[in-house]
Every structure is written in C-alpha cells, then in structure tokens.
C-alpha cells in the first residue's frame, strides 16, 4: 500500500487559524491569529501557505476550510500558485461549513452545527446540501459565541440600568471595565471587537453552569437557536421527512458545545422533534475535514461545493 500523501490542512476561522502538516515523518500542528473577513481572504490564505514553506514544510496537497468564504473568492488556482513551492500538486478549498461537516460526519447524511465566534450549519442529504445561517454577526450567527457574548453584555447593562435582573456576569464585565458606562465606547473603537465580545461567551456559559439564572436563560436561548438551525437544515435536504429521520445524525462542533448547559439544552431542543436523534457533541475538528477535502468522492453531495486546482 502506498503511503498517504503529505498534506497541509488549514482551518481558517475568525477566532484563530489551525494548521496541520502530515507526512511520513509524522504530524505537526500550530496556530495563528484569525482571518479578517472584512479584508480580502485569498492573500491572507496564501500567506499561511507561504509561512509553512518558510518553516521548511513540504506537502503534496493542501486543503483549506475558510470562514466567510464567498463564491468570488473560491479561487483554488490562486492558492495553488502559493503552494507550488511546497511541492503541492493540488489545492482544495471550501467554506468551513463543508470542512466542519467532513470532520464530524464524513459523507454520512445528517447535519453539523459549527459554533465558535460565528456559527454555520450544514445539512447533507442524498443529493443536495443546505447551509443555514452563517450570515455574520450583523445579520445572523444566531446562538454563536458573539451572539451569546453580546447577550451577556446586554444583560449586564440591563442590570446596571435597573431594566433587568441582577447577574454575576456584572462582576466579570466590571473587572474589564470598572466604569461600565464607558464600556460600549471602548468596544466600538476596538478593531477586534467581534472576537472580544465573543470571548464573553465562556463567562456566560460558566455562570449558567454555576446556577446564575440570567445566564441560564441566555445559554438556553443560544442552544435553541442552534437546534432550530439544525432542524431547518435537515428539513431543507429532505432528511426530516425521511423514513429513518428519527435516527438522524446531528453533530455539534466548536468550543461553544463544550458548555454543560448549552450541550444539554441543544439535545433537549433537537429531541422535541427527533426523539431518537443520534446527537454527537464536539467529536471532531474542522481541520480533520480540511485534510479530507481531497478525498471526497465525486458522487458526494458535498463535492460540487469544493473548489480544486491541480498541476
């Protein structure tokens, strides 16, 4: 049996970038700051590849899963030019919803909800896929880390104004902003405000697990939003009405699902519609899917959503 081809797999998210290099000598992984979706993506992605070459890596193929990837930036040829010095023979590029799906379920039919700073849901049926949400923090990303972090900040200011119940989150935020009334000014001026606001999702999740009533409501709301997206995706690809829908594969990946309350409430919400759903939380990482892009069968419903270039 021939050895597996050497691979550079890149999971490019807004919170951070994870890179995995694998060859006959073993596997190496490293991280980098997240991509900026308000700037052109292709030069940022090319730079990640170039840095791998500068570090002495070689790879026969490169797979990239990218947050915020649009159709006009699905140019695998552009990235192949950057990858040729690595020895690359092919580059495979997809939205990170595709790589999150592959890393979680492979080619199995079902739905994957990938929740970090943002969130995107992807469902795959027998012949088609459906993306749900992933519309960014201004227009969507319901239940995401940003959504939950912002909800936590909103709850703190409501408590401060007397518009809402007291919450232990106030002390967490006050540790960063002793003058709560000046917090919004600093956040609005911060170019990294999306990631900074999303970082409060962890505090909200921890507070919910500790029994903070306000935080519990927020986390339960996030879980229901994520479950709504999962069920909508299955419905769009015909899996909710399929004969075996009761055992549909539903997978949640990303740091948000590590929270005890969110994971529990997500399962409760899904099972109100699919009582016997096969629910898996946090069992894969999108970088696994980035590495698998080159191996997707042409008959897969996912295949036509992967841009490839080769020499």
């Amino acid at each position: 049996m021939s050895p597996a081809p050497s691979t550079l797999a890149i999971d490019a998210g807004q919170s951070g970038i994870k890179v995995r290099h694998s060859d006959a000598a073993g596997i190496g992984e490293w991280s980098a700051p997240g991509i900026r979706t308000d700037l052109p993506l292709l030069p940022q992605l090319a730079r990640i590849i170039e840095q791998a070459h500068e570090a002495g890596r070689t790879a026969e193929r490169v797979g990239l899963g990218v947050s915020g990837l649009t159709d006009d930036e699905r140019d695998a040829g552009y990235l192949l030019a950057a990858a040729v010095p690595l020895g690359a023979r092919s580059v495979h590029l997809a939205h990170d919803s595709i790589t999150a799906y592959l890393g979680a379920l492979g080619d199995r039919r079902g739905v994957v909800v990938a929740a970090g700073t943002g969130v995107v849901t992807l469902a795959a049926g027998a012949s088609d896929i459906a993306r749900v949400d992933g519309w960014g923090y201004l227009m969507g990303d319901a239940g995401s880390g940003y959504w939950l972090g912002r909800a936590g900040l909103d709850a703190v200011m409501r408590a401060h104004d007397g518009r809402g119940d007291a919450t232990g989150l106030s002390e967490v935020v006050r540790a960063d902003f002793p003058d709560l009334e000046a917090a919004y000014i600093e956040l609005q001026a911060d170019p990294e405000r999306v990631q900074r606001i999303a970082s409060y999702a962890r505090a909200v999740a921890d507070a919910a697990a500790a029994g903070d009533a306000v935080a519990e409501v927020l986390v339960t709301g996030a879980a229901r939003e994520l479950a709504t997206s999962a069920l909508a995706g299955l419905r769009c690809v015909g899996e909710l009405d399929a004969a075996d829908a009761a055992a549909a594969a539903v997978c949640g990946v990303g740091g948000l699902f590590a929270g005890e309350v969110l994971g529990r409430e997500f399962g409760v919400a899904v099972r109100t519609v699919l009582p016997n759903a096969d629910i898996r939380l946090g069992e894969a990482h999108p970088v696994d899917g980035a590495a698998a892009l080159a191996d997707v069968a042409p008959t897969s419903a996912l295949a036509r959503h992967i841009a490839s270039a080769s020499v």
Side-chain angles (χ1 to χ4, degrees), residues 246-292:
V250 179
C251 190
V253 298
L256 221 56
F257 284 101
E260 173 189 346
V261 177
L262 188 141
R264 182 187 71 228
E265 294 301 321
F266 175 79
V268 168
V270 169
R271 288 196 169 105
T272 59
V273 178
L274 297 172
N276 298 312
D278 176 13
I279 298 177
R280 310 174 184 187
L281 302 181
E283 294 185 356
H285 194 281
V287 75
D288 297 331

Side-chain angles (χ1 to χ4, degrees), residues 56-72:
R57 308 281 183 170
T58 60
E60 297 169 71
R61 61 188 192 180
V62 178
L64 305 96
V66 186
S67 175
L69 185 69
T70 58
D71 286 345
D72 60 353

